[in-house]
Amino acid sequence: MSTELTGTTSAKINAALIAARRAAGSPAVGMVLTLVIVTDEENAHDSLKAARDASTEHPSRILVVIRRPGRSARRTESRLDADVRAGAAAGNGETVLLRLHGELADHADSVVLPLLLPDAPVVVWWPVDAPDVPSRDPLGALAQRRITDAYAVEDPPTQIKARAAAYAPGDTDLAWTRLTPWRSMLAAALDEVGTDVTGATVESEADNPSAELLARWFADRLRVPVERIVTEGPVVTAARLRTAQGEIRIDRPDGPVARLAIPGQPTRTLALKVRSTAELIAEELRRLDPDEAYAAALAARVTPPSAPRAGGSRDAAGGSRIGEQDTDDRRETSDA
Amino acid sequence: MTDSDTWSNPLRDTANDRRLPRIAGPSGLVIFGVTGDLSRKKLMPAVYDLANRGLLPPGFSLVGFARRDWEDEDFAQVVHDAVREHARTPFREEVWQQLAEGMRFIPGQFDDDAAFKRLGETIAELDAARGTGGNFAFYLSVPPKFFPQVVQQLKRHGLSDPPSGSWRRAVIEKPFGRDLATAEELNAVVHGVFPPAEVFRIDIGGRAGYYDGIGSARDVIQNHLLQLLALTAMEEPADFDADALMAEKLKVLKAVKLPADLARHTVRGQYTAGWQGGEKVPGYLEEDGIDPQSRTDTYAAVRLEVDNRRWAGVPFYLRTGKRLGRRVTEIAVVFQRAPHSPFDTTDTQELGQNALVIRVQPDEGVTVRFGSKVPGTQMEIRDVTMDFAYGESFTESSPEAYERLLLDVLLGDANLFPRHQEVEESWRILDPVEAYWDTHGRPAPYASGTWGPGEADDMLARDGRTWRRP
């Protein structure tokens, strides 16, 4: 069931939600959180779709905040339009698309606050452009969890810097979420070798924020120099850990299949596919407490090895060594 | 392969980094009786689903052992078909490839030394080619009469002895014997080969094939319902590890007392022809392959007491049956009436007893029943429910039971598995009931599709109670 409301208020939207629920025959549903998506008209559709897919795991009330200030806020009429969907049309839970016109675009929190589910946690997700300090943003301040995506912006390295400077407990970034399969495999591989790591390497396309976070995670946890190598991509292509017994390597040159090499063991294939945004959001919503591992990685400083590695065969393979965040290339693909 | 015991993996920060899942270490699974129904419908799909969720180690290997003239490829094809048909997660070619590379098949009988020798060679080959690290679990998906033979063969060929730094585990399924004596015998055989901590017992309700002559009390009450009773009545464990849990469950089981008069407080039944859910069904004695004189119980109900301070005077009623009104597993904690009610009896005529119902299966969740005033000017209290359903708050369904159990076996996490002491205690409770039934009368008949024989209702009526309708 879908109800369109023009020139409306939060109270009328609440009434429409209750009416929609009654009509669907389920006066009480067990929604576990409110997810607020802050986006523009262009990205609203894809973000909402991802959130709905994620809602199969976490039934939630999804509020999509679309700001339409107009060219000049003063001359555009201040107005709230809403599209309320519940029942089969909204996946598991309820969806409200909120279009904020004119001056109201600057006061989104006043619209959102009355629509939050009582007691349940609030998550705010900025699929593309996030505020500089998410925790101080009026909408971000309402949330336990604030999800940004350093991969979706024009300039990921600058974005990572901003996230590190503004970090507050509850912040998280999808560039970090994308690393979970890599990190769990690397941790499992190191379990098997069971020895100290002396150096690490991360290979990726230029400016990949996940690669940057992986390098910082290594720096934080291993306290060793970490080398960054730029490849053709796509996204993160390899991670290496040097130990006294040899090198632990995960190579994912392309596609979903990676290869894992551990010293003294046969090389094995590994399914390491690039996950959809819905899967990433579902992972994010699984725990709503501060992610301290992310905080520590974000704050870490990567120091490149002092002397260049012998051989330089890596360069011949199309890569060139770079310092931290010194290129400005644009991304091509849309995920890590 | 650790350098020293003090080394800890710096990439694992379990306190702060909670995203990293528990992935099983390098390991493999050997399934005996791999051509069986259970293996195809449950085990193989569970292995694939685990791999698909990224919870199996790279190099995980699956070895099938059965009396079939198959090559590795034939086996892989059978697993492929089983996964396609029964897996719960979407089929992904790359995951399948990763898994299929580690599939091996050993044709042979359980008394065939050459086959077990080949199994040993295959395990060594997998350690070298796939990095399984010598860690193997042996899943005995075979009738219990073959357990002694299979575990002895594993011992004879050195397969039950883990190489240094690795593990070998055995997984066995119920029935764990048919009384205390046979259970002890079985445990002695298995523990003679595998240490108790490396033996994992799996009890999933309702396996067919050995039912006649065993009956529902042995099949379901002995382990399943007594485990639920122990979990309901136990004190909180010191922590959540397998030893602490077992200590508490065992205390409850040891405190369980049977009623003095078994005639009054136990009932067994046998279903007769009838209509179940709109379908005409035959009676137990008319089923194919069942002895028309069979005295097997398809329904059993007993009253137990937990003889400790907390549960003094609280009866525990266990009941189970086939062809009942519907298929359901529940734990209902029924509360005593308040010692004083300020309402008139007419006000509370429709008020039942407050209850907390834990729905184990299906529609997992918890219901609280309590009284509420009916709106209006008259004072009238009626039962209402407050409900929590997993399916509403977590639409992602819980992992399939076998998925969870297999992963726990590979991780060595024994929380969900009953230990041999618990199995033996459960038989100690049930044996006198079975002995009594053997010498007294026949199962009471009940029509299929009902909630059991009238005798069971009488049994509760004697205590001034009635059964809940689940």
Side-chain angles (χ1 to χ4, degrees):
Chain A
M1 176 168 168
S2 170
T3 314
E4 299 223 7
L5 302 167
T6 31
T8 189
T9 63
S10 297
K12 288 180 189 159
I13 295 169
N14 258 328
L17 277 169
I18 291 167
R21 254 192 258 155
R22 287 259 159 87
S26 53
V29 283
M31 286 180 290
V32 293
L33 56 91
T34 308
L35 174 63
V36 182
I37 307 174
V38 188
T39 178
D40 51 19
E41 203 68 69
E42 185 191 343
N43 292 291
H45 180 79
D46 289 350
S47 316
L48 180 56
K49 189 172 179 314
R52 276 208 200 127
D53 291 346
S55 81
T56 58
E57 191 170 328
H58 311 275
S60 35
R61 175 175 289 180
I62 302 171
L63 305 175
V64 186
V65 176
I66 304 165
R67 288 195 173 104
R68 306 184 74 168
R71 280 209 196 86
S72 154
R74 244 176 304 156
R75 265 192 280 153
T76 312
E77 182 204 1
S78 183
R79 193 181 81 228
L80 172 63
D81 294 345
D83 183 353
V84 179
R85 297 170 193 173
N92 286 281
E94 301 165 334
T95 302
V96 185
L97 275 90
L98 300 162
R99 291 191 171 79
L100 281 54
H101 302 266
E103 207 184 334
L104 184 59
D106 295 332
H107 302 282
D109 52 316
S110 77
V111 176
V112 166
L113 187 65
L115 295 177
L116 300 177
L117 290 170
D119 297 328
V122 179
V123 178
V124 176
W125 171 32
W126 292 273
V128 184
D129 292 313
D132 291 338
V133 186
S135 59
R136 297 249 188 86
D137 176 85
L139 283 173
L142 297 173
Q144 274 86 349
R145 194 86 166 169
R146 294 169 292 275
I147 306 171
T148 54
D149 188 357
Y151 198 78
V153 300
E154 288 290 303
D155 182 5
T158 310
Q159 178 88 352
I160 291 282
K161 249 180 221 165
R163 294 285 152 257
Y167 176 83
D171 285 5
T172 179
D173 197 286
L174 294 186
W176 172 250
T177 321
R178 290 182 182 98
L179 287 174
T180 305
W182 283 85
R183 297 196 303 121
S184 61
M185 274 305 155
L186 287 161
L190 192 56
D191 275 339
E192 289 185 37
V193 180
T195 186
D196 290 336
V197 176
T198 55
T201 305
V202 177
E203 300 184 12
S204 73
E205 63 185 8
D207 287 347
N208 183 284
S210 295
E212 176 61 29
L213 287 171
L214 186 59
R216 290 188 187 199
W217 182 58
F218 284 155
D220 170 53
R221 299 304 307 170
L222 302 170
R223 308 274 162 197
V224 295
V226 184
E227 190 179 13
R228 289 282 309 277
I229 291 175
V230 173
T231 64
E232 302 277 296
V235 293
V236 181
T237 51
R240 289 144 203 267
L241 299 174
R242 280 177 292 286
T243 73
Q245 294 174 20
E247 203 175 48
I248 296 170
R249 279 176 23 212
I250 296 181
D251 286 294
R252 186 181 66 181
D254 59 336
V257 179
R259 299 201 67 80
L260 167 69
I262 294 177
Q265 292 193 14
T267 301
R268 290 165 292 197
T269 56
L270 201 64
L272 202 64
K273 79 159 182 167
V274 173
R275 294 182 297 165
S276 69
T277 311
E279 287 171 273
L280 299 175
I281 291 293
E283 178 184 322
E284 274 312 319
L285 299 183
R286 236 163 264 159
R287 298 199 75 111
L288 299 175
D289 49 347
D291 187 341
E292 288 160 48
Y294 168 66
L298 198 56
R301 277 197 67 81
V302 173
T303 46
S306 46
R309 276 163 57 96
S313 58
R314 207 80 79 238
D315 293 353
S320 66
R321 194 170 300 120
I322 53 159
E324 189 189 345
Q325 305 164 358
D326 61 356
T327 58
D328 198 23
D329 292 352
R330 294 285 174 268
R331 68 206 162 83
E332 301 253 316
T333 53
S334 64
D335 208 345
Chain B
M1 283 182 52
T2 44
D3 285 345
S4 74
D5 291 338
T6 55
W7 185 84
S8 70
N9 187 343
L11 295 185
R12 283 205 191 283
D13 177 11
T14 42
N16 296 320
D17 194 350
R18 288 170 295 256
R19 286 177 196 258
L20 299 190
R22 300 190 308 169
I23 298 183
S27 53
L29 178 68
V30 180
I31 303 178
F32 291 95
V34 76
T35 51
D37 237 25
L38 178 93
S39 164
R40 280 188 304 107
K41 287 189 180 151
K42 296 289 185 184
L43 296 180
M44 293 171 182
V47 165
Y48 171 82
D49 288 333
L50 283 173
N52 205 1
R53 293 179 209 267
L55 299 176
L56 291 183
F60 176 84
S61 300
L62 180 66
V63 182
F65 189 112
R67 200 178 49 200
R68 286 289 158 88
D69 197 13
W70 283 351
E71 298 291 329
D72 291 347
E73 295 73 27
D74 303 321
F75 175 55
Q77 187 59 43
V78 169
V79 181
H80 182 272
D81 295 346
V83 166
R84 276 290 178 141
E85 193 174 343
H86 299 290
R88 287 155 38 109
T89 58
F91 188 84
R92 280 164 48 197
E93 192 59 36
E94 72 272 15
V95 173
W96 172 254
Q97 281 309 327
Q98 179 187 339
L99 209 51
E101 283 175 22
M103 288 187 193
R104 304 287 185 274
F105 186 78
I106 315 285
Q109 315 241 23
F110 299 141
D111 59 359
D112 181 353
D113 282 328
F116 277 83
K117 191 155 172 285
R118 269 201 304 284
L119 177 59
E121 290 159 4
T122 301
I123 285 176
E125 180 259 324
L126 288 171
D127 283 344
R130 304 271 299 165
T132 38
N135 303 314
F136 277 86
F138 299 100
Y139 197 118
L140 275 59
S141 186
V142 297
K145 63 178 178 203
F146 293 117
F147 286 3
Q149 194 174 21
V150 175
V151 296
Q152 283 306 329
Q153 284 284 48
L154 289 173
K155 187 179 179 152
R156 253 169 74 111
H157 294 271
L159 298 173
S160 56
D161 303 324
S164 150
S166 64
W167 50 257
R168 294 287 157 93
R169 296 183 180 132
V171 185
I172 58 178
E173 292 184 345
K174 74 168 192 184
F176 314 121
R178 50 171 295 136
D179 54 25
L180 179 57
T182 51
E184 283 174 340
E185 201 179 301
L186 175 69
N187 287 336
V189 166
V190 177
H191 293 165
V193 176
F194 291 93
E198 303 290 359
V199 179
F200 292 73
R201 290 173 181 77
I202 291 190
D203 171 6
I204 306 288
R207 276 193 68 204
Y210 63 86
Y211 195 84
D212 193 47
I214 296 288
S216 53
R218 286 196 179 96
D219 184 37
V220 182
I221 290 185
Q222 182 274 131
N223 195 56
H224 194 51
L225 292 193
L226 284 173
Q227 281 286 322
L228 295 183
L229 181 149
L231 288 166
T232 306
M234 73 179 184
E235 299 296 317
E236 61 183 305
D239 55 42
F240 211 61
D241 72 22
D243 286 337
L245 264 174
M246 186 190 68
E248 296 303 332
K249 284 196 286 178
L250 210 51
K251 264 156 68 181
V252 172
L253 292 174
K254 279 179 195 278
V256 167
K257 270 181 54 178
L258 284 172
D261 186 351
L262 291 175
R264 285 171 65 82
H265 301 295
T266 71
V267 168
R268 70 196 144 138
Q270 203 175 54
Y271 63 83
T272 58
W275 288 83
Q276 187 190 29
E279 207 180 332
K280 194 166 187 207
V281 291
Y284 182 70
L285 300 179
E286 298 140 29
E287 301 269 13
D288 286 345
I290 299 296
D291 174 7
Q293 299 301 316
S294 172
R295 300 205 311 174
T296 303
D297 49 298
T298 66
Y299 176 98
V302 295
R303 186 180 102 178
L304 301 175
E305 267 163 39
V306 178
D307 191 13
N308 62 20
R309 193 182 171 100
R310 182 187 289 280
W311 298 109
V314 179
F316 285 75
Y317 299 96
L318 309 184
R319 62 169 165 166
T320 176
K322 280 183 180 298
R323 293 271 169 84
L324 297 183
R326 64 190 184 96
R327 207 181 167 78
V328 59
T329 307
E330 285 183 352
I331 302 166
V333 181
V334 181
F335 295 102
Q336 295 180 5
R337 281 195 181 272
H340 168 75
S341 165
F343 305 109
D344 286 339
T345 43
T346 49
D347 297 344
T348 53
Q349 221 156 29
E350 291 185 65
L351 178 66
Q353 277 176 301
N354 293 350
L356 176 77
V357 181
I358 300 160
R359 295 192 302 276
V360 180
Q361 229 178 22
D363 186 26
E364 298 88 334
V366 181
T367 299
V368 182
R369 283 185 73 76
F370 58 95
S372 161
K373 185 188 169 303
V374 180
T377 50
Q378 282 195 323
M379 177 53 88
E380 190 189 346
I381 317 273
R382 187 185 290 174
D383 279 354
V384 294
T385 59
M386 209 158 60
D387 200 69
F388 161 69
Y390 272 90
E392 260 179 22
S393 294
F394 309 95
T395 27
E396 178 83 337
S397 49
S398 314
E400 216 276 324
Y402 275 94
E403 256 180 79
R404 178 71 202 274
L405 294 173
L406 281 181
L407 182 62
D408 283 356
V409 168
L410 298 177
L411 289 165
D413 183 344
N415 268 6
L416 298 179
F417 302 86
R419 293 277 180 83
H420 68 101
Q421 296 98 317
E422 296 166 60
V423 172
E424 290 171 12
E425 275 306 321
S426 303
W427 282 122
R428 181 194 62 74
I429 295 165
L430 192 62
D431 275 358
V433 177
E434 291 285 353
Y436 177 83
W437 286 347
D438 276 348
T439 51
H440 292 78
R442 295 185 61 85
Y446 63 97
S448 291
T450 65
W451 284 109
E455 284 81 347
D457 297 334
D458 299 342
M459 169 183 141
L460 253 72
R462 280 192 279 275
D463 294 353
R465 298 168 190 273
T466 53
W467 291 107
R468 287 182 59 253
R469 182 170 44 75

